[in-house]
Amino acid sequence: MSLADEVDVFCGQLRARQVQEPLLTAKRTAYLMRLLTTTKRHGDAQALLDDVRSWGTKIQMAKPSELAIGNIIRRVLHIIREEAQQELEAAPPEVPGGGTESTVRAKRQGLLSKALQHPSLTAARALSLHNLLDFSLPPYSPTSAEAAAVAEAVSKQTPSIPETPGPGIVNDALSDTGRRRKSSRSGPVWQGKSAVIEQLNELIDELDEIAVAIAQQAHEHIHANEVILTFGVSETTLLFLKEAGKKRSFQVIVAEAAPGYGGHSMAAELAKAGLHTTAIADSAIFALMARVNKVVLGARALLANGGIMAETGTQLVALAAKRHAVPLVVLVGLYKLSPLFPHDPTVTFNDFKSPADIIDFDVMAEPLEPDLAEASTSSSALMTHSQMTDTQSTDGADLSNIPREAVSATAASSAPEVHVLNPAFDYVPPELISLFVTDTGGYTPSYVYRLLSEYYAREDYGLSKELMDALVR
Amino acid sequence: MFAHLPPYKSVTLDKLLLESEAASKVHPAVLRLGLKYAGGAVVGANARCLAMLRAFSEVIEDYATPEGKVLSRDLAAQLNTAIQFLVECRPLSVSMGNAIKFLKLQVSKVDPSTPEAEAKQTLLDKVERFIEEKIVFASREVVANAATKVENGDVILTYAHSAVIFDLLLHAHKAGVRFKTIVVDGRPHCEGRKLLRKLLHHGIPATYCLLNSLSYVIQEVTKTFLGASAVMSNGGPSRIASSPLSAWSDLPYLGLLNVMYDAMPSDLVTLIVTELGIIPPTSVPVILREYRQDPPL
């Protein structure tokens, strides 16, 4: 199958919600990106960057609410940028005979001024506190007009990374992107590609080991005789608690997490592993929180401000934990780290599911007796999805009697309007979270912004304009 | 860890007759009521209290003082047995406790010289008056008081099912106030469905969602009305329930906990609507003091 076919299949599955797991989605995205890098010809880093971005946008558009896709794309872009940057740094200085330490230093301007003058040159390496003072800062004071121009240049993002003078390839200082594109069709192949592919392989391996890497830290976070509360089902959390259970004895309270009731299978799995487990209804979370020592749960996405998107109901858990001053530990693989901000978190990255999970149609039909006959047969259903964000949804078998359109005029005139809401995710603000346990260690929500600059290039945060428009509907 | 909570046991008639000493002695009306409590057929503080007083009325009506005994003593003993039986079926609600206190006081005050029929009639009247005043009238007053807080354009959120809340919403709806309701529901009882049905039946627009979606709906809510089982109780009775998933009991480490009530901290409550008026939670002790000074009916 060609790349285009593979991408189409994947996009179709995303739209039909056949692929739901963020980890699986991330892996598939990473595979596709590796396929793209290996099978297509790219003349230089820029061509590869453009290609990855356009294909990545296509995949992400299939399911804008799945942030893991964009995260992986950004990671790949970052890898390519780093590689290009390294080549640039490894390249011998162009000035003949100017090989002394001082001239090299002189050529390398202060990073801050570089960032301001040539956004392209510093594209791959973000300016940060630890490298800010590495270089001397030449006197430079940008006027406001200049700064605006630079900002525009950054947003347009056309870094022209000079070609590497590899063996046999003449470095004719191609700075014109148009010319380079032409050459990419047939001509030279970018030399850094093999290194990029190697790093992509590492990325895929990393994704495979995330749950294990997180679980290994369990002993640092769970102590003897503690009472741990968790919410719903999460593979990572299950592995984490099981690992802790190998050394220590503690109790687990599992909230069932309606309407998915993932907590039921979670409780059964934990009990099978020999942990003392108590299953409770969601409504009992607040009542029991007073006896809990720590809340441990998984997340769907980690946002730029340190907040998380997680299964619905997580915010209630977080609020109850805050009320009782119980630490809330979120287990999250860094592939879920997204540089996006939750401007309107209840809607922005959310998704709505079928109301049939919440309440059966017949329960609703009964009190509306006079209209019962028509209501159940005609399309004027009384149950609606309000604010359905994903019109592509094919969730549940009850679609026939639950059309997504709002209540029709006939129904509204004869019966009161009913909405049954079933949002998929909850936003938990950073102030309710104590700690993130990631595959690379524990971080506080206030540190998330640093992680972002470590894993992504700043100019990739938005990925593309059409995507941002889709996200901020 | 949860050993302090009274464990749940399923109650059936056979079991009761075998195990409970009280069961064989109580009046059939009380027996019927006890089973209804246990089975969850009668729920809600008001409904349970009302049902209990009606059953006790029957007990009093059918009562005949045995030879050589005094009505006030013997009837009190009979009622005690009945109450003990009811407790076995399900722990008493605070409202029931208050009603029992009242009834016992009345029984103890019956003059031994009064003829039996007359004494019984007095007691029955008093019970009726208690129901009228403390439950029916009180509910009506609460509704009337709370209705002043429902305004046009309000989005009112309520949790599960409460008879008073429904009366309130209906009252406001009939008064022509245009408002929206959001019924939030929680497992395992899903009592909110009952409220939703009633609301729809009366043509009140409603949104229904589970507790977990609360963060999503809460932003458009203007007021939240909750029915309370008891005010000032610190942690109500709880019970540990068995699960319908019988296979679960095969796992030795797995327990199921199903608590019945939440103790809501008073700082989360803005106002408490009572039959005596709308008060801030900090003023609850004032009402309690007034009650205590109130001469009994």
Side-chain angles (χ1 to χ4, degrees), chain A residues 174-188:
Chain A
L174 291 169
S175 55
D176 172 32
T177 32
R179 264 183 72 195
R180 206 187 297 127
R181 287 247 172 76
K182 223 181 275 170
S183 70
S184 73
R185 289 275 150 69
S186 53

Side-chain angles (χ1 to χ4, degrees), chain B residues 52-236:
Chain B
M52 181 188 72
L53 287 173
R54 297 260 185 250
F56 284 168
S57 296
E58 276 189 57
V59 174
I60 296 171
E61 227 166 279
D62 295 346
Y63 176 79
T65 322
E67 205 61 40
K69 289 198 175 166
V70 189
L71 179 136
S72 59
R73 299 260 176 78
D74 188 57
L75 184 58
Q78 275 218 14
L79 287 177
N80 272 340
T81 332
I83 291 159
Q84 193 200 331
F85 169 74
L86 289 180
V87 173
E88 275 171 33
C89 293
R90 188 180 161 185
L92 297 181
S93 73
V94 174
S95 59
M96 290 161 74
N98 289 341
I100 287 168
K101 243 181 255 166
F102 163 80
L103 187 60
K104 280 186 176 169
L105 184 69
Q106 298 309 319
V107 171
S108 69
K109 281 203 302 194
V110 171
D111 193 339
S113 60
T114 337
E116 191 188 291
E118 195 186 311
K120 273 163 65 177
Q121 197 48 52
T122 332
L123 279 176
L124 287 176
D125 289 347
K126 291 224 164 124
V127 170
E128 260 330 292
R129 260 188 72 194
F130 184 89
I131 292 174
E132 261 316 298
E133 250 174 64
K134 296 280 176 191
I135 300 178
V136 178
F137 181 72
S139 296
R140 212 180 299 139
E141 271 305 291
V142 168
V143 167
N145 278 336
T148 61
K149 292 286 166 198
V150 183
E151 290 157 6
N152 273 330
D154 265 349
V155 178
I156 293 175
L157 182 137
T158 180
Y159 179 69
H161 176 265
S162 154
V164 177
I165 300 291
F166 171 68
D167 289 345
L168 159 69
L169 295 175
L170 191 61
H171 185 273
H173 182 69
K174 283 188 174 154
V177 184
R178 295 186 62 82
F179 61 93
K180 267 171 64 182
T181 56
I182 297 177
V183 181
V184 180
D185 208 355
R187 285 235 314 152
H189 296 299
C190 286
E191 287 176 335
R193 291 181 184 184
K194 203 157 82 182
L195 181 63
L196 183 66
R197 283 175 183 210
K198 286 199 213 167
L199 287 177
L200 293 185
H201 197 77
H202 288 89
I204 303 171
T207 299
Y208 177 87
C209 66
L210 289 182
L211 190 58
N212 285 343
S213 316
L214 196 56
S215 67
Y216 179 78
V217 295
I218 198 76
Q219 47 189 352
E220 60 168 326
V221 172
T222 55
K223 277 162 198 145
T224 301
F225 283 94
L226 299 174
S229 175
V231 177
M232 290 293 286
S233 87
N234 243 346

